Amino acid sequence: LHLSRKLKPLEKSEKRNTGYKTMVDIAILGEAYGEQEALQNKPFVGASGRELRRMLSSAGIDFDSCFVSNVFNIRPPSNDISYFFTDRKSGTGAYGPHRPGRFLDPAHEHHLLRLSTELKAAAPKLIIALGNTPLWFLTRQLPKISRERGVIFSSLYGKAIATYHPAAVLRDWSLRPIVIADLMKAKGESASREIKRTSREIWIKPSLFDIVD
C-alpha cells in the first residue's frame, strides 16, 4: 500500500514550517492560515494578527514570547474552515465533531499530529484557543465558543482558555473588550500550570445580621 501523496498547491507552505518555541508560558492557537500567512508561512501576520497583537498588548502579553501556531498551517480555499472536514462516514471520529455531522477528513489528520508534537515540546503553562477550531482540537468535543469562552479548563495538553478569534473581532467590534478581558485572565493564569478554583459560599436565605456582618 502506497501512502505518500502529492501536496496540493495550498499545502506547499507547510513543508517549510518546522521550527517552534519550547518551554513557554503561553501558547496561542488559531484556526488556519489566511492569505498573508500562506504567503509568509507564519501565523497571524495579516489583519487578524495585527489586531491580536494590539489586544495582547492591552492585556500585558508579549506576542513574541508566546508559542503561536494554528490547527491547520495551510490556507483553505476561500478561507473556508469546512474544507478540512467531511461527513461522519468518510471522516474520523477520533477527534469528535467540529460541527454537527462534520468530522475531520483523514487526509488532514497530519496537521493535528504536527500540532500535538509542537505543544508537547512547547510545554506551555496555558494555552489560549482562538475560536471554535482550536477549542475543538483541545477538547475533542463539539465546540461553542460563545458559551465556553473565558473559562479555564483542563485540555489534553494542559490548562487552557478559549476566546473569540481576532477575525471575529474585526467583524464585530463589540467583541473586543470581551477578548481583552479573557486575555487579561489568561495572563494571570499563565503564572502556574495548576487550575485554582475560587471557593464560594452560597447563602440561600441570609438574615439581616448576616448581611451586616
Side-chain angles (χ1 to χ4, degrees):
L1 181 63
H2 185 58
L3 296 179
S4 65
R5 65 186 183 90
K6 293 182 178 180
L7 287 171
K8 297 177 182 180
L10 289 171
E11 296 180 335
K12 287 182 178 179
S13 63
E14 192 194 26
K15 295 170 66 179
R16 303 188 301 273
N17 191 12
T18 57
Y20 44 86
K21 296 178 181 178
T22 60
M23 303 305 294
V24 298
D25 287 342
I26 296 176
I28 299 173
L29 304 184
E31 296 192 325
Y33 278 178
E35 181 180 5
Q36 290 302 313
E37 287 78 11
L39 289 172
Q40 300 184 43
N41 193 33
K42 292 181 180 179
F44 292 107
V45 293
S48 292
R50 290 190 292 273
E51 178 55 32
L52 175 60
R53 284 171 170 80
R54 288 191 289 265
M55 292 189 293
L56 287 170
S57 179
S58 296
I61 299 174
D62 177 21
F63 177 89
D64 293 328
S65 69
C66 301
F67 164 77
V68 184
S69 190
N70 289 291
V71 177
F72 302 102
N73 270 354
I74 62 170
R75 183 190 182 194
S78 302
N79 293 331
D80 184 0
I81 204 72
S82 67
Y83 167 77
F84 301 109
F85 301 92
T86 185
D87 57 41
R88 180 185 296 270
K89 182 178 180 180
S90 303
T92 172
Y95 300 93
H98 181 263
R99 294 285 188 276
R102 304 300 293 176
F103 294 81
L104 179 69
D105 185 332
H108 302 296
E109 186 176 12
H110 64 281
H111 294 286
L112 276 64
L113 298 177
R114 178 265 310 158
L115 181 55
S116 177
T117 299
E118 290 177 349
L119 284 174
K120 289 175 182 177
K125 294 178 181 176
L126 179 78
I127 302 171
I128 300 175
L130 300 176
N132 275 317
T133 301
L135 178 58
W136 160 80
F137 169 79
L138 292 173
T139 63
R140 305 294 198 263
Q141 296 177 7
L142 186 68
K144 189 173 182 180
I145 195 68
S146 61
R147 178 187 63 213
E148 300 172 53
R149 54 136 295 270
V151 177
I152 299 296
F153 63 94
S154 179
S155 78
L156 296 171
Y157 303 93
K159 186 166 67 172
I161 186 172
T163 193
Y164 295 106
H165 194 282
V169 173
L170 293 176
R171 294 191 297 268
D172 182 356
W173 206 242
S174 68
L175 297 177
R176 193 173 194 271
I178 298 174
V179 174
I180 292 175
D182 290 343
L183 294 176
M184 291 175 68
K185 184 175 184 178
K187 169 67 173 178
E189 290 287 344
S190 67
S192 169
R193 300 182 190 278
E194 181 182 358
I195 296 179
K196 298 180 180 179
R197 302 298 185 189
T198 302
S199 178
R200 293 183 173 89
E201 291 183 357
I202 300 177
W203 292 22
I204 305 300
K205 294 181 179 180
S207 67
L208 178 61
F209 296 103
D210 292 330
I211 296 174
V212 171
D213 290 342

